[in-house]
Structures are given as structure tokens and as C-alpha cells.
Amino acid sequence: MTTMRMATERQGATAGTVFLAGPALMAGYGVVRLLGRAVSDYGPGVWWMLAHLLFLAGVLVFVPVFLGLRKTAVVRGGRRVAVDVAAWAGLVGAAAVAVQALIDLVVGFVAADEQAMSELFERVQDVPGVMPLVYTVVPLLFWFGLLALVTLLVFFRRDLVRAWAPVAVLAGVVLTAMNLDLLPIGALCIGLALLPVLRSR
């Protein structure tokens, strides 16, 4: 019985780490991006590839974050519908952002220089439907879904999610939207909002 309990606790702790891994990887992307721009033209090359690999990993790690937050809300009826809508909106947005990161990686790998990158991006973005699906509309669901889910959990799971958590998430989203150079700080805000959930695991 003790062994089973220890295994369950280890599993819960491991699962809980994703609540910080996602923001940490996003922050890593922001830091590597800043370093790459500081020491090079930040075009095709190691800095670009490393930054966007971290970006892709961070987005993918947010999938279990959304699912974990959804599971945390032990509610029924209309409350369950609201939580599910927020979680699935976030997951759809995460899928769009992941596609965006994959495009960035492929373009960075194929292009010989920044001019070639710009041309490839233009060709991709000129495909009908790509801009709203991958760049301008659907990716926003990632941030809106996360903010909505955390806000709902403030009301449904006050024991786990602090009242200031939505403010921290909103600050992170706004900072990132203002300037990607602020992404490390924005990711830190989101990580702080999710930290109490990790501690409960």
C-alpha cells in the first residue's frame, strides 16, 4: 500500500511539473531569441533553430497544462461546460501556435539567408486561410483559453488557484503581445499564476 502511494505521489509530482515547464520553455525561447538578436542577425542558423525548438516544446507542454487545469475543476453542469469550452479553446489555439512554430523551423532550416526567409514566409502566408488559422485569429485562442480557464478556476477551486492568478496571466499575455522582447517576463507572470497548482500536486 505504501509503495502504491509513493508511486502515485511521484506520478502526481511529475505531472505537476508541466505547470512550470510550459512557461519555462516559453521564457527560454524569449531569452534565446534576445541572445540571438544580440550576437547575430537572428536569421537562419543555430540561434533561430534553438529558439523555435524551445518555442515548439513550450507550446506542446501546455497541452497537458490545459488538460490538467480542466481535470482540476471538479464541477458539473454549466460550470463543466464553461471549463471544457475554455480548455478546448486553449488546445485549439495551441495546435495553431504549434503549426506556426513548425513553419518557422522549416523555413529556418530551408532558407539560406534572411531574404530567402522573408520570401518563404510570404509564400506560406499568401496561401488562403493560413493567416487567420495560423497567425492572426486561431492562435489567440491559446491565450484567451488559458486566461478564461484560470479565471474560472478562481471561482471553482479557490483552494488551488489564487485570486490574483488571472491578473498575472493577463499581464503575461499583454506583455507578450506588446513586444516579444518581453516574453521572458510574460512567461514568468504565467508561471507564477500556475505555481500554486503545482504545489498542490
Side-chain angles (χ1 to χ4, degrees):
M1 189 70 176
T2 302
T3 303
M4 291 179 62
R5 182 182 302 171
M6 291 175 62
T8 302
E9 289 176 353
R10 282 197 299 269
Q11 184 178 5
T14 301
T17 58
V18 301
F19 288 98
L20 288 189
L25 288 165
M26 288 288 197
Y29 159 66
V31 170
V32 172
R33 178 180 175 275
L34 288 173
L35 290 174
R37 294 178 65 193
V39 303
S40 70
D41 293 330
Y42 192 58
V46 174
W47 290 105
W48 178 276
M49 298 301 288
L50 177 57
H52 286 83
L53 282 172
L54 289 170
F55 180 46
L56 177 60
V59 173
L60 294 178
V61 169
F62 264 95
V63 172
V65 169
F66 281 115
L67 295 176
L69 290 174
R70 175 180 176 271
K71 185 179 180 180
T72 298
V74 186
V75 290
R76 295 180 180 179
R79 293 183 175 186
R80 169 51 62 186
V81 171
V83 168
D84 286 347
V85 168
W88 285 106
L91 290 169
V92 170
V97 177
V99 171
Q100 185 181 139
L102 285 171
I103 291 173
D104 289 344
L105 284 168
V106 172
V107 169
F109 181 77
V110 172
D113 52 36
E114 287 192 52
Q115 180 61 35
M117 286 182 69
S118 297
E119 293 174 357
L120 285 171
F121 278 126
E122 286 181 7
R123 288 169 59 183
V124 171
Q125 293 171 5
D126 283 343
V127 176
V130 167
M131 283 300 291
L133 288 174
V134 180
Y135 289 97
T136 59
V137 179
V138 179
L140 295 178
L141 294 176
F142 176 84
W143 304 107
F144 290 149
L146 180 62
L147 178 59
L149 192 54
V150 171
T151 301
L152 288 169
L153 288 176
V154 167
F155 295 100
F156 304 156
R157 291 301 306 270
R158 295 178 183 175
D159 55 323
L160 296 183
V161 182
R162 303 296 181 260
W164 49 263
V167 178
V169 173
L170 180 61
V173 173
V174 171
L175 287 171
T176 302
M178 287 174 55
N179 192 329
L180 273 179
D181 291 347
L182 299 176
L183 177 57
I185 301 174
L188 176 62
C189 291
I190 294 173
L192 287 174
L194 298 177
L195 183 59
V197 184
L198 169 64
R199 288 177 172 173
S200 70
R201 295 279 160 162

